[in-house]
Amino acid sequence: AYVRGFDNAEGIRLENAEQILVRNNKIYNSSNDNRTWNASAVKTYKTKHVTIEHNEMFDVVSGVMEKEASSYMTIRNNRIYDCRYGFVLSNQNGGVTEAVKFHNNIVQCNSGFETVSQGSAEMRDVHVYNNTFAGYTSQGANANRHGQAFYIYNNIFHRTSSSVSNADFYTQTGDTGQVKLMDYNLYSRNPKMV
C-alpha cells in the first residue's frame, strides 16, 4: 500500500471500532509532508479489542500508532523496520488508553516504542515484553509523564552505537514511579536509562 498525505496518512485506519483483527499484511511507503508519527502503517482511534499480528511494516514514519483512548489492544508477532517509530502509544483529549500488550515483535526503527500524551490523558496497564529492539538511534522504549503502570520485561535491546540521543529506556525525569516492572531485559551494551 502506498499512502501519502499532508498530516494523517495511514495504510489501515481503525476508528470507533471493536473486535478487529489486522493480520498478514505488508504495509509500506506511508508518509506525510512533515514526517511526523501521524503517518503510519496502522492507526487506531477509540478502539476496543484490536489485535494487530503477523504483519510486515516498512518504509513508514510509524509502524503502529494508537492515537486516542483505545483499550485492549494486542500488537504481536510483527516485523517493523525502516521507520522513525515502531509503535507510538499516544493519547489526547483527556481520554484513557489502557490494557495494551506489545509483544513478540521485531522492531528496527529509530525509536522502538514511544509514548506521548496531551494534558491529563492517561495511559495504564501497558505491557511491553518479548520484543527485539535493534539498531535504534533515539531510544529503545520510553514512558511518559501521564502514564500509570508500565511493565517492560523480557526484551532485547540491541544498539550498534555506543551513543544514543536519549537512551535504551527513557522516561520523564522524576516520573519513574509509573514503571511498575522493568526486569529480565537483555542489553547488547551497558544499559543507558534516562
Side-chain angles (χ1 to χ4, degrees):
Y2 169 77
V3 180
R4 177 139 176 102
F6 174 71
D7 186 28
N8 285 304
E10 50 275 329
I12 297 172
R13 179 181 177 126
L14 306 172
E15 190 166 351
N16 294 308
E18 295 186 26
Q19 303 293 335
I20 303 294
L21 175 62
V22 178
R23 177 189 286 160
N24 295 332
N25 297 285
K26 184 180 283 192
I27 308 167
Y28 58 94
N29 206 357
S30 177
S31 66
N32 57 14
D33 290 343
N34 297 323
R35 301 282 297 160
T36 66
W37 52 47
N38 277 328
S40 57
V42 180
K43 187 179 295 168
T44 62
Y45 287 86
K46 300 179 182 177
T47 62
K48 289 183 181 177
H49 300 284
V50 170
T51 299
I52 301 167
E53 65 181 9
H54 301 289
N55 299 287
E56 183 179 2
M57 305 171 208
F58 61 96
D59 191 21
V60 295
V61 180
S62 303
V64 177
M65 164 104 182
E66 196 307 288
K67 187 130 183 193
E68 181 178 352
S70 290
S71 58
Y72 303 100
M73 288 185 68
T74 300
I75 299 98
R76 64 184 176 206
N77 301 316
N78 298 287
R79 180 156 186 246
I80 307 169
Y81 60 98
D82 190 19
C83 56
R84 288 182 72 183
Y85 311 98
F87 177 38
V88 179
L89 185 61
S90 176
N91 201 1
Q92 59 189 9
N93 301 321
V96 175
T97 297
E98 63 184 341
V100 176
K101 293 181 180 176
F102 184 73
H103 65 92
N104 295 89
N105 300 287
I106 298 173
V107 183
Q108 295 169 283
C109 302
N110 292 347
S111 179
F113 174 77
E114 183 94 19
T115 62
V116 64
S117 63
Q118 297 174 354
S120 62
E122 295 180 15
M123 289 178 202
R124 57 182 176 236
D125 195 24
V126 176
H127 295 257
V128 178
Y129 61 98
N130 294 348
N131 299 289
T132 298
F133 299 107
Y136 49 92
T137 56
S138 181
Q139 64 229 356
N142 84 350
N144 72 42
R145 67 174 56 108
H146 303 295
Q148 301 171 11
F150 282 92
Y151 302 85
I152 301 164
Y153 55 97
N154 293 349
N155 299 288
I156 297 171
F157 292 91
H158 173 69
R159 58 184 160 96
T160 55
S161 172
S162 61
S163 75
V164 169
S165 63
N166 286 328
D168 295 305
F169 179 77
Y170 172 81
T171 188
Q172 301 292 331
T173 304
D175 292 324
T176 57
Q178 65 188 304
V179 180
K180 301 302 181 192
L181 174 67
M182 184 155 184
D183 210 347
Y184 303 104
N185 295 298
L186 177 64
Y187 301 91
S188 64
R189 294 179 174 270
N190 288 335
K192 182 179 178 186
M193 312 291 175
V194 178

